[in-house]
Amino acid sequence: MSEVKVNKISPRSGTDVTLGDSGDTFTVPSGGTLTVASGATLTNSGTATGFASIDWQSTVVTGTTHTASANQGIWIDTTSNACTLTLPASPSFGDQLIFSDFKRTWGTNAVTLSLNGSNYQGRTSPTAVYETSGETVHIVYSGSTQGWIPINDGSVVFATEPITVSYLVIAGGGGGVSTTGGSGYGPGGGGAGGYRNSYASETSGRNSSTETPLTLTSGNTYTITVGGGGATSSDGNASASDFVAYNDLTEEVVLGWVHADVDKDVTEAKLTANIAEQKTPTSADGIPW
């Protein structure tokens, strides 16, 4: 066996170098390393075996059908429609395929596999359907008996999913007017408040339109300010000393309020006269005309 030792092989003319002839085999011995420098391109125009590289496709599949090639990674967007994915024809042992939910819509529009003559997990039926949002499936061809076998199948958490919040707001009205007038009555009620909601289709709010739920982003801090309502106005006669809590009311307090608004002596005199009249009604003889 001849041996050639050189540090560099360069073309005598042009830019191409051919190693050997058709049918020849070049072997990198155990422990050796074949390095492709950064920026270089290794192009496969034949059949490469033993490589686990997946060629991810930059074009997202959006149609109702698509035929895959071996060792591809495919993004499938089923926002507008379901998709039937046809597996590669005449696959070789070790061929791989990864297909992934591009917009987390498989739960609405599923992906169905067309086997293209191969077995799938050892069978040709029933049809394999993937219908979980956020799902990614990695399959490998194991040979004609079992055919394509999934080695990884699962969905991932939607870590950046916005949070939609429906709301119901019933706002308090303006403050009431205190009208005690020295007689001990409490403040009057305020005006009606606002009403808005986003969970029903009814119109509400200032513009009488249907409200839209709020969209919040996980991890952000949102400040909610609860207003204090309108301030109570006064007619000028109220004072803090006039107010008595309900639980503190006594007969003496209530009679005090009554006596402040009526002439006690005149009222008692009228009541005494009415009682006496009921006890001893006035009577007379003869005809009243």
Side-chain angles (χ1 to χ4, degrees):
M1 179 179 65
S2 299
E3 180 178 3
V4 177
K5 292 185 177 181
V6 295
N7 292 326
K8 182 179 180 181
I9 299 175
S10 299
R12 183 173 182 180
S13 62
T15 57
D16 295 334
V17 173
T18 300
L19 298 179
D21 297 311
S22 177
D24 290 347
T25 298
F26 289 84
T27 301
V28 177
S30 176
T33 301
L34 181 62
T35 301
V36 179
S38 175
T41 300
L42 183 63
T43 301
N44 174 29
S45 298
T47 300
T49 60
F51 291 91
S53 177
I54 297 295
D55 182 18
W56 281 95
Q57 304 301 291
S58 60
T59 300
V60 176
V61 174
T62 58
T64 58
T65 62
H66 180 77
T67 300
S69 296
N71 302 311
Q72 286 185 334
I74 302 173
W75 303 107
I76 303 178
D77 179 2
T78 63
T79 299
S80 301
N81 46 257
C83 178
T84 297
L85 179 66
T86 301
L87 300 184
S90 303
S92 300
F93 176 82
D95 282 351
Q96 303 181 60
L97 184 65
I98 301 176
F99 46 103
S100 182
D101 188 351
F102 185 67
K103 286 190 175 179
R104 303 184 67 88
T105 54
W106 290 8
T108 302
N109 293 313
V111 171
T112 300
L113 297 187
S114 175
L115 303 185
N116 205 4
S118 297
N119 284 342
Y120 196 82
Q121 295 179 301
R123 303 175 62 89
T124 57
S125 64
T127 302
V129 178
Y130 292 95
E131 51 188 358
T132 300
S133 294
E135 189 170 11
T136 295
V137 183
H138 185 178
I139 61 178
V140 178
Y141 188 72
S142 65
S144 59
T145 302
Q146 289 298 108
W148 294 95
I149 296 178
I151 62 171
N152 194 0
D153 173 11
S155 61
V156 295
V157 174
F158 195 178
T160 59
E161 180 180 16
I163 303 170
T164 300
V165 178
S166 295
Y167 57 87
L168 169 64
V169 178
I170 301 178
V177 178
S178 177
T179 57
T180 61
S183 59
Y185 297 107
Y195 169 79
R196 300 177 68 178
N197 88 76
S198 66
Y199 66 86
S201 58
E202 64 180 323
T203 58
S204 63
R206 178 175 61 86
N207 297 317
S208 296
S209 59
T210 302
E211 303 292 339
T212 302
L214 302 175
T215 299
L216 308 180
T217 301
S218 178
N220 288 353
T221 300
Y222 297 88
T223 301
I224 300 176
T225 302
V226 181
T232 301
S233 62
S234 172
D235 64 359
N237 296 319
S239 65
S241 61
D242 292 327
F243 177 76
V244 179
Y246 177 82
N247 291 335
D248 296 331
L249 289 176
T250 64
E251 179 181 359
E252 182 182 0
V253 171
V254 175
L255 287 177
W257 291 343
V258 174
H259 293 163
D261 279 354
V262 299
D263 189 321
K264 177 177 179 292
D265 294 335
V266 172
T267 301
E268 288 182 349
K270 288 182 179 180
L271 289 174
T272 301
N274 287 336
I275 292 171
E277 178 65 23
Q278 295 296 323
K279 290 181 175 180
T280 308
T282 301
S283 61
D285 296 329
I287 302 172
W289 60 82

